[in-house]
Amino acid sequence: MVRIGIDVGGTNLVAGVVDEQNRIVARAKTRASEYPTGEAMVAGMARIARQAAENAGAPLSQVRAVGIGIPGMVDDETGVAVKSVNTAFDHTPVRALFQEHWPVPVYLENDACCAVLGEGIAGCGRDSSFMMMFTLGTGVGGSYLRKTANGIRLQGTEIGHMVIVHGGAPCPCGRRGCWEQYSSAAALKRMTREQMQRHPESAMWDLCGGDLEQVSGRTSFLAMEAGDAAARELTARYLDLLADGLANAVNIFSPELICLGGGVANEREENLLYPLQRMVTERTQVRQGVQSTRFVKAQLGNDAGIIGAALLDMPRV
């Protein structure tokens, strides 16, 4: 028996067939832009799910479940995508529509929850019983996974909208000083451009060819490694603010493991993970006899969401 996971993105819909060892053995994908309505998008997902099964040589009768990871708010009890960012879903009965095309068990979940489930079962958290995952991208996505003998507990959070700088940078959510305005990849790029404008002598200008639009999440780290003082000051501030939010999460949830994903997490460990481990440990209250939270990089990349979606039929507690 196999499962199929579907990752719904703003650009592509990707289906993967996941075997009993939690490995993706076949895929199929299509452009999301081809489906202007929620109903059309569900039809597209059903098509690529069946195509992925065909690519894997798996009869449809051998597919035990299809899981779908959707960016935004979903209700798995009713099978409805309530509101989904950058997709056509709006109170769309995804399960019912999908089963009109293929009467297979269908599960829905937020895409960040699918990512932490994939990493927790098949990736960096396979040996952890309680982990959190933070994705540093356009914003800061957060979710956690707890494993018990009776099943899993899976929950997404909006921790990126925790205020860490009172009266700080405006956020699209309507508040000011949200953590993601200082810790996301988009925030790092903004802060890099601001620092470059304050320091026209900085080597960061050379790295992006004198064009602020060419700034990346790596610009400040590369310049720091080359000895640039302005870049060193910026990366220190970025890590300080990132560590503050992570320390808050550790103090609230006390996870064994924190997994960092997204483009920024690909930075060299001595530039990112090692200083974050030290800074967060210094800023958190660890209960006696409890080991400090460990920090690791995500291992599965974009596959985490597909594998996690495929595993949504696991029992919940």
Side-chain angles (χ1 to χ4, degrees):
M1 299 291 285
V2 297
R3 301 174 172 97
I4 293 177
I6 300 176
D7 183 43
V8 177
T11 303
N12 293 313
L13 309 178
V14 184
V17 178
V18 177
D19 66 13
E20 295 291 342
Q21 286 73 48
N22 302 319
R23 300 172 302 190
I24 298 176
V25 296
R27 305 170 193 262
K29 73 175 183 178
T30 186
R31 300 283 292 182
S33 58
E34 295 181 15
Y35 307 98
T37 68
E39 291 79 3
M41 188 168 287
V42 174
M45 290 192 298
R47 180 177 64 80
I48 62 168
R50 295 171 73 109
Q51 182 182 335
E54 181 179 333
N55 293 343
L60 298 187
S61 60
Q62 292 299 304
V63 177
R64 60 187 295 175
V66 172
I68 305 171
I70 297 174
M73 187 183 304
V74 301
D75 183 343
D76 186 51
E77 286 191 16
T78 61
V80 171
V82 180
K83 190 68 178 176
S84 178
V85 181
N86 298 323
T87 77
F89 293 139
D90 185 0
H91 293 86
T92 306
V94 172
R95 178 182 295 136
L97 290 170
F98 192 102
Q99 290 176 332
E100 289 179 6
H101 300 277
W102 182 7
V104 65
V106 175
Y107 299 84
L108 272 64
E109 188 52 90
N110 171 267
D111 59 346
C113 289
C114 291
V116 74
L117 181 57
E119 288 287 352
I121 300 299
C124 64
R126 62 172 64 90
D127 297 322
S128 171
S129 62
F130 181 32
M131 67 174 286
M132 299 189 74
M133 182 172 180
F134 297 100
T135 304
L136 310 176
T138 303
V140 175
S143 50
Y144 69 78
L145 169 68
R146 185 183 294 276
K147 305 174 206 170
T148 74
N150 298 318
I152 60 169
R153 182 172 300 161
L154 189 63
Q155 182 66 53
T157 73
E158 291 294 342
I159 201 167
H161 296 290
M162 164 181 60
V163 171
I164 62 167
V165 178
H166 182 68
C171 181
C173 76
R175 305 178 78 193
R176 300 184 71 92
C178 289
W179 185 36
E180 70 174 37
Q181 292 305 308
Y182 300 94
S183 299
S184 65
L188 177 57
K189 293 177 188 178
R190 185 198 77 236
M191 293 161 66
T192 300
R193 295 187 188 103
E194 293 169 351
Q195 183 78 335
M196 288 168 62
Q197 290 173 317
R198 287 190 291 266
H199 294 275
E201 81 289 353
S202 172
M204 291 185 285
W205 286 99
D206 294 329
L207 288 169
C208 61
D211 184 357
L212 289 174
E213 294 305 312
Q214 298 304 311
V215 167
S216 75
R218 294 217 66 204
T219 300
S220 62
F221 284 101
L222 290 171
M224 176 195 69
E225 290 180 343
D228 184 74
R232 184 167 58 248
E233 178 183 66
L234 171 62
T235 54
R237 174 164 170 73
Y238 173 75
L239 290 173
D240 184 48
L241 291 162
L242 178 56
D244 268 349
L246 291 170
N248 289 345
V250 171
N251 280 330
I252 295 168
F253 295 102
S254 297
E256 297 173 4
L257 183 77
I258 284 182
C259 169
L260 293 179
V264 177
N266 293 324
E267 188 54 56
R268 293 171 57 184
E269 291 184 342
E270 55 266 37
N271 291 341
L272 187 77
L273 281 187
Y274 295 164
L276 283 175
Q277 181 78 68
R278 174 181 53 79
M279 296 162 75
V280 172
T281 300
E282 291 172 351
R283 300 176 194 191
T284 51
Q285 306 297 315
V286 180
R287 297 191 303 275
Q288 187 174 5
V290 177
Q291 187 177 10
S292 296
T293 300
R294 292 186 298 114
F295 285 78
V296 297
K297 289 183 183 181
Q299 292 181 354
L300 302 178
N302 293 333
D303 288 351
I306 297 172
I307 295 172
L311 295 172
L312 287 175
D313 66 335
M314 295 180 69
R316 303 288 185 97
V317 294

